[in-house]
């Protein structure tokens, strides 16, 4: 095998490198079609198409912000392998990011702190490796999105901890003065995403950061339930993969028409755990999007009571075990 082929494989296998905690000896390689792969730091690889093919789109794809969410890591691995082998010929600039390598190696959501609660400056009030990583990911994504007059898109790929009545859904951040884009919602629909949750307040997640600070279109995508590597075959991500391949190659128009309409919800309230006394009055195995009875007591935290005021409310990410100060669930309503 020629040396260039070995390097190609090394950088195209960013997931393996990251899981092994290995730094590649060659940080830059060119694929046979002239695409440049550049390893920037652990878990982060920039892909630059030849100038003649560049369609002026910058696409950030992140996964592994939570270390136990493997389906999105496998999806990014397949895309990057395709680019490295020449099967996919990028027309856009790409940044691949595996967010929390330490947690990925342990197979845990996080090591010390939930990385996805440390963006938009929160890392400055925290300590430890995840605070440092949030700072690094902000800097790297700001650099990536610093080129003028280019379309900017970020998908931060996750899986949920529990089952979901709608297994593939998106969360769309909010920023003052910006409207949620109808074109982005149509893209989600084409990708087989079944529902979108629209925020109406600023957030501290990775997609909230790139949306608010990098002026990117940015979404968190929830793709099924968290399972170990190799156990994701029941999850159908074929449409999302088609969309991502089409975006990479700049041929979005060739996607087949959507199977079903995207359901739209508004995040009505975020439920916070403010003390260790927090209690959630839901079954442990309740699925995401389960309906909440109007007037029922959802949670208590000492003297604080969370009553479901909203009609047609549903619960997302209920989790009484989160650290004190973090959100323990979202109440959503049809938008
Ligand atoms: O299933 C759960 O409880 C959490 C799944 C997950 O990691 N979701 C993301 C959503 C981020 C967002 O609100 O945009 C998270 O909680 O960080
Ligand atoms: Zn996650």
């Amino acid at each position: 095998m020629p040396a260039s082929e070995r390097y190609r494989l090394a950088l195209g296998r960013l997931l393996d490198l990251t899981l092994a905690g290995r730094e590649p000896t060659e940080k830059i390689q060119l694929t046979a079609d002239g695409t440049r792969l550049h390893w920037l730091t652990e878990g982060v690889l920039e892909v630059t198409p030849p100038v003649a093919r560049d369609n002026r789109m910058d696409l950030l794809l992140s996964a592994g912000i939570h270390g136990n969410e493997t389906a999105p890591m496998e999806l990014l691995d397949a895309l990057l392998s395709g680019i490295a082998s020449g099967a996919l010929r990028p027309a856009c600039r790409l940044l691949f990011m595996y967010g929390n390598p330490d947690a990925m190696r342990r197979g845990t959501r996080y090591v010390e702190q939930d990385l996805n609660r440390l963006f938009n400056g929160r890392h400055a009030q925290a300590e430890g490796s995840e605070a440092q990583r949030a700072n690094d990911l902000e800097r790297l994504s700001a650099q990536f999105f610093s080129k003028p007059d280019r379309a900017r898109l970020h998908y931060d790929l996750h899986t949920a901890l529990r089952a979901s009545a709608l297994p593939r859904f998106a969360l769309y951040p909010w920023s003052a003065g910006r409207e949620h884009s109808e074109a982005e919602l149509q893209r989600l629909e084409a990708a087989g995403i079944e529902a979108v949750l629209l925020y109406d307040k600023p957030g501290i997640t990775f997609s909230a950061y790139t949306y608010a600070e990098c002026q990117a279109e940015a979404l968190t995508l929830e793709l099924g339930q968290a399972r170990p590597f190799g156990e994701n075959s029941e999850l159908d991500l074929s449409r999302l993969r088609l969309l991502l391949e089409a975006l990479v190659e700049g041929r979005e128009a060739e996607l087949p028409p959507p199977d079903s309409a995207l359901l739209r919800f508004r995040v009505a309230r975020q439920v916070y755990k403010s003390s260790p006394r927090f209690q959630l009055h839901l079954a442990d195995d309740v699925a995401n999007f389960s309906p909440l009875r109007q007037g029922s007591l959802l949670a208590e935290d000492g003297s604080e009571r969370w009553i479901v005021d909203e009609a047609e409310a549903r619960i997302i990410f209920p989790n009484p075990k989160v650290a004190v100060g973090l959100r323990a669930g979202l109440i959503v309503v049809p938008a």
Side-chain angles (χ1 to χ4, degrees):
M1 184 188 292
S4 61
E5 182 77 356
R6 279 204 304 277
Y7 299 142
R8 179 175 72 77
L9 289 174
L11 289 188
R13 295 177 64 201
L14 180 67
L15 180 58
D16 289 343
L17 286 172
T18 309
L19 289 172
R22 277 188 41 221
E23 181 170 338
T25 35
E26 292 290 327
K27 308 282 190 294
I28 294 177
Q29 72 160 96
L30 282 182
T31 67
D33 63 84
T35 301
R36 181 177 187 263
L37 308 183
H38 185 182
W39 187 91
L40 299 179
T41 188
E42 187 173 38
V44 183
L45 186 99
E46 186 174 33
V47 176
T48 311
V51 174
R53 244 186 8 238
D54 186 342
N55 69 352
R56 307 203 66 73
M57 175 170 208
D58 295 339
L59 176 60
L60 166 54
L61 297 175
S62 52
I65 290 287
H66 294 128
N68 60 340
E69 300 177 358
T70 62
M73 300 177 210
E74 291 176 348
L75 179 58
L76 294 198
D77 187 46
L79 286 176
L80 187 51
S81 298
I83 292 170
S85 72
L88 279 178
R89 292 157 53 89
C92 62
R93 287 177 69 236
L94 287 142
L95 192 63
F96 284 89
M97 280 185 168
Y98 291 115
N100 193 338
D102 279 348
M104 285 164 61
R105 287 189 281 271
R106 294 170 199 229
T108 56
R109 184 169 169 87
Y110 57 85
V111 178
E112 291 174 326
Q113 296 177 75
D114 191 330
L115 177 59
N116 216 20
R117 303 292 179 273
L118 290 170
F119 290 93
N120 271 330
R122 278 293 175 101
H123 52 79
Q125 302 154 28
E127 285 179 0
S129 60
E130 272 128 352
Q132 181 58 52
R133 185 70 172 169
N135 186 39
D136 291 346
L137 297 184
E138 284 191 358
R139 179 178 47 78
L140 289 160
S141 38
Q143 259 163 18
F144 177 70
F145 283 131
S146 65
K147 294 190 184 298
D149 305 322
R150 299 178 65 88
R152 298 174 183 175
L153 178 59
H154 174 199
Y155 289 137
D156 184 32
L157 310 182
H158 288 250
T159 62
L161 298 175
R162 57 185 56 243
S164 181
L166 303 168
R168 291 166 299 250
F169 60 99
L171 299 109
Y172 204 159
W174 177 91
S175 177
R178 277 182 77 181
E179 298 268 321
H180 290 126
S181 152
E182 209 41 55
E184 290 310 325
L185 296 176
Q186 280 168 22
R187 258 192 191 140
L188 296 179
E189 198 170 77
I193 302 296
E194 294 153 295
V196 63
L197 315 184
L198 305 168
Y199 280 109
D200 64 358
K201 291 190 177 52
I204 52 174
T205 61
F206 192 19
S207 62
Y209 167 76
T210 53
Y211 188 69
E213 297 301 322
C214 305
Q215 286 73 49
E217 284 299 338
L219 292 122
T220 305
L221 301 189
E222 297 289 341
L223 308 171
Q225 197 172 354
R227 298 192 194 287
F229 280 114
E231 294 183 20
N232 296 307
S233 57
E234 278 176 29
L235 176 66
D236 181 5
L237 297 181
S238 53
R239 278 181 161 270
L240 176 61
R241 185 163 170 177
L242 277 180
L243 172 86
L244 294 177
E245 289 175 353
L247 284 174
V248 167
E249 295 201 308
R251 53 175 175 78
E252 186 166 4
E254 292 170 22
L255 280 172
D259 279 340
S260 58
L262 179 76
L263 298 173
R264 299 177 187 207
F265 295 87
R266 177 172 67 74
V267 177
R269 272 191 288 165
Q270 305 199 36
V271 178
Y272 282 89
K273 174 172 175 175
S274 48
S275 85
R277 289 170 300 177
F278 182 85
Q279 274 185 292
L280 194 62
H281 298 299
L282 289 175
D284 284 346
D285 61 352
V286 68
N288 286 325
F289 291 99
S290 294
L292 297 173
R293 194 169 48 78
Q294 194 171 15
S296 62
L297 177 63
L298 175 63
E300 287 177 89
D301 202 344
S303 59
E304 193 177 15
R305 286 159 66 82
W306 298 84
I307 309 276
V308 180
D309 302 323
E310 298 85 354
E312 296 182 66
R314 299 180 186 215
I315 188 74
I316 306 287
F317 304 146
N319 186 356
K321 295 188 182 136
V322 294
V324 168
L326 297 188
R327 87 171 176 215
L330 295 176
I331 301 174
V332 301
V333 295

